[in-house]
């Protein structure tokens, strides 16, 4: 009797990246289970930008439409649960969930995203994605020509300042400590009239996420319309690392051009693999992962034994077309 808990692919994470992969796999008639805990990183942002055909759409509307389209393929299933543990034996994966369920699959895809670490500043989390923003491509246009701050220091803050200076002429860098810029960088910042404030921040005063003032440790305050914040992150799920998947220096899951992690049979896509955080990039990664997983499953069935599971892809020449891989 067929085991109803066995799938070709289990996708952990059912947001933009996971749903995009599920579509490729569903259209390839793969039995897919998506396990999703329903906490995408952009859930607090009122409008999502820079994803063609959905520019300015409410994030949940994009996700709902994606889910509806994916679930039209009747080999795709989704459950709302948290995957808590994973193991691998005999080239099969077992995933257990907080709800007490257990599932097996041939392949595993992590589309689990990342978790932003909010600083201990009163009001910061409430403004996140509304007026405290992470990305000029996603939200910069909406705050063009407005009074803007960048919370951060060093190379990344300098880089952010160069991008944001194209959008507004009013920028203050909030370094929360001694500014970490070299002589040339300080000159450049000065040249573009970018102020530096080194005083620590205690609070972001706001109304429903709309910033009024940034309040500093010394009691002073300055009003801003928007604050770009460069904050740390961690992987949303610990399971890939527990299975042996390697991370990059920045903390992303290491993947090759076909979204394969360093563990055979395990793939990853979306924010958990890339610093290019955007819905478009997540959808692209999922699309690629879906096709690459389907290719592996097809080959393993079509000529079993010829390609060892752990062989991975050959070293591809620079000019190798991606299409040859599918
Ligand atoms: C505040 C904010 C605003 C943004 N605005 C924009 C914008 O305007 N335009 C744009 O293009 N991009 C925007 N982005 C970036 C964009 O939201 C992300 O790039 C995109 O959501 C990444 O998709 P993903 O599927 O990789 O991860 P996510 O969308 O974060 O989804 C990950 C999913 O995996 C689930 N999950 C994690 N662990 C488990 C587990 N163990 N078990 C089950 N489920 C699990 C989570 O619950 C979640 O549903 C924004 C990001 C942020 C933080």
């Amino acid at each position: 009797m067929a085991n109803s808990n066995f799938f070709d692919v289990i996708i952990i994470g059912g947001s933009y990246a996971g749903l995009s992969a599920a579509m490729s796999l569903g259209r390839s008639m793969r039995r897919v289970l998506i396990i999703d805990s329903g906490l995408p990183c952009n859930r607090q942002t009122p409008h999502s930008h820079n994803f063609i055909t959905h520019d300015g759409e409410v994030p949940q509307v994009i996700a709902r439409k994606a889910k509806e389209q994916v679930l039209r393929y009747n080999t795709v299933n989704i459950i709302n649960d948290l995957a808590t543990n994973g193991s691998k034996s005999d080239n099969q994966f077992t995933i257990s969930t907080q709800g007490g369920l257990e599932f097996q699959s041939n392949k595993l895809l992590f589309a689990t995203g990342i978790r932003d670490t909010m600083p201990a500043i009163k009001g910061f989390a409430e403004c996140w994605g509304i007026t405290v923003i992470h990305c000029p491509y996603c939200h910069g246009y909406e705050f063009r020509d407005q009074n803007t701050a960048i919370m951060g220091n060093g190379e990344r803050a300098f880089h952010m300042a160069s991008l944001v200076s194209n959008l507004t002429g009013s920028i203050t860098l909030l370094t929360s400590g001694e500014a970490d810029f070299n002589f040339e960088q300080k000159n450049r910042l000065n040249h573009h009239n970018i102020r530096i404030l080194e005083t620590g921040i205690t609070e972001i005063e706001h109304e429903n996420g709309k910033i009024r003032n940034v309040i500093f440790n010394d009691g002073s305050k300055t009003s801003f319309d928007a604050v770009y914040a460069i904050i740390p992150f961690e992987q949303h799920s610990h399971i890939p690392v527990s299975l042996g998947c390697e991370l990059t220096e920045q903390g992303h899951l290491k993947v090759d051009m076909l979204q394969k992690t360093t563990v055979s049979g395990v793939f990853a896509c979306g924010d958990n693999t890339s610093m290019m955080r955007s819905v478009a990039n997540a959808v692209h990664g999922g699309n690629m992962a879906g096709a690459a997983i389907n290719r592996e499953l097809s080959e393993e069935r079509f000529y079993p034994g010829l390609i060892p599971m752990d062989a991975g892809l050959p070293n591809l020449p620079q000019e190798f077309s991606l299409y040859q891989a599918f």
Side-chain angles (χ1 to χ4, degrees), residues 4-213:
S4 62
N5 282 359
F6 193 92
F7 295 86
D8 293 319
V9 188
I10 294 175
I11 301 176
I12 304 179
S15 181
Y16 313 100
L19 290 169
S20 169
M23 175 160 281
S24 300
L25 290 162
R27 291 182 54 74
S28 304
M29 299 176 69
R30 298 297 177 190
R31 286 201 68 217
V32 175
L33 174 67
I34 306 168
I35 305 173
D36 185 46
S37 56
L39 291 174
C41 63
N42 64 350
R43 59 191 176 276
Q44 195 166 275
T45 212
H47 300 281
S48 177
H49 290 278
N50 203 29
F51 180 33
I52 200 157
T53 73
H54 287 285
D55 188 39
E57 189 60 273
V58 175
Q60 290 78 2
V61 171
I62 305 175
R64 199 178 316 127
K65 191 165 183 189
K67 202 181 288 183
E68 272 168 25
Q69 293 187 348
V70 163
L71 291 178
R72 281 184 210 147
Y73 297 93
N74 62 11
T75 55
V76 180
N77 307 271
I78 188 163
I79 59 164
N80 180 231
D81 205 341
L82 180 77
T84 48
N85 279 299
S87 59
K88 179 181 185 185
S89 73
D90 298 332
N91 286 328
Q92 270 184 19
F93 298 96
T94 300
I95 293 292
S96 40
T97 74
Q98 195 173 55
L101 302 171
E102 202 172 87
F103 303 98
Q104 282 83 34
S105 66
N106 283 320
K107 306 285 175 196
L108 209 49
L109 172 62
F110 289 96
T112 36
I114 53 174
R115 192 185 286 128
D116 297 294
T117 312
M118 302 288 145
I121 295 173
K122 193 175 166 206
F124 184 101
E126 290 81 353
C127 294
W128 181 240
I130 304 169
T131 50
V132 175
I133 53 182
H134 78 299
C135 161
Y137 299 103
C138 300
H139 306 290
Y141 185 83
E142 283 60 45
F143 292 106
R144 66 194 181 281
D145 299 326
Q146 297 193 31
N147 194 13
T148 300
I150 298 170
M151 265 178 72
N153 206 350
E155 289 297 333
R156 291 190 63 195
F158 183 78
H159 170 65
M160 184 66 92
S162 74
L163 293 178
V164 176
S165 70
N166 189 47
L167 295 162
T168 177
S170 172
I171 302 177
T172 307
L173 269 165
L174 308 178
T175 55
S176 295
E178 195 180 335
D180 182 17
F181 303 112
N182 62 33
F183 182 72
E184 175 57 18
Q185 288 173 327
K186 278 187 181 152
N187 271 347
R188 285 282 99 201
L189 293 170
N190 195 25
H191 176 79
H192 291 286
N193 293 322
I194 296 174
R195 293 171 294 278
I196 300 177
L197 268 179
E198 296 180 324
T199 319
I201 300 167
T202 43
E203 181 178 347
I204 295 183
E205 209 174 51
H206 68 100
E207 203 179 307
N208 298 323
K210 201 168 180 313
I211 296 176
R212 295 273 172 255
N213 291 296

